Amino acid sequence: MRPADLTSVEIADQLHAAYQEDRRLAPAGPDEEERLALADYLGGHKEARAEA
């Protein structure tokens, strides 16, 4: 997964899946590597973060 290739909706879905997993409300979401890549991407792209 390359975060730059994801749409805003797909980014939001990834964030939601990670949150659900962290709260033990759903099975495994993105793995640690994907989470870090997404966090790095969103940390440097304010527009993408706002859209998601």
Side-chain angles (χ1 to χ4, degrees):
M1 168 194 75
R2 269 196 47 192
D5 295 337
L6 299 176
T7 67
S8 299
V9 172
E10 291 169 330
I11 291 172
D13 287 345
Q14 290 290 317
L15 294 172
H16 179 72
Y19 176 83
Q20 292 290 85
E21 179 186 0
D22 290 349
R23 299 292 176 240
R24 299 175 192 206
L25 301 173
D31 64 25
E32 185 175 348
E33 185 178 320
E34 291 173 325
R35 288 178 182 227
L36 290 173
L38 188 57
D40 285 343
Y41 176 75
L42 292 175
H45 294 87
K46 293 179 184 178
E47 300 84 17
R49 185 173 58 232
E51 288 178 14

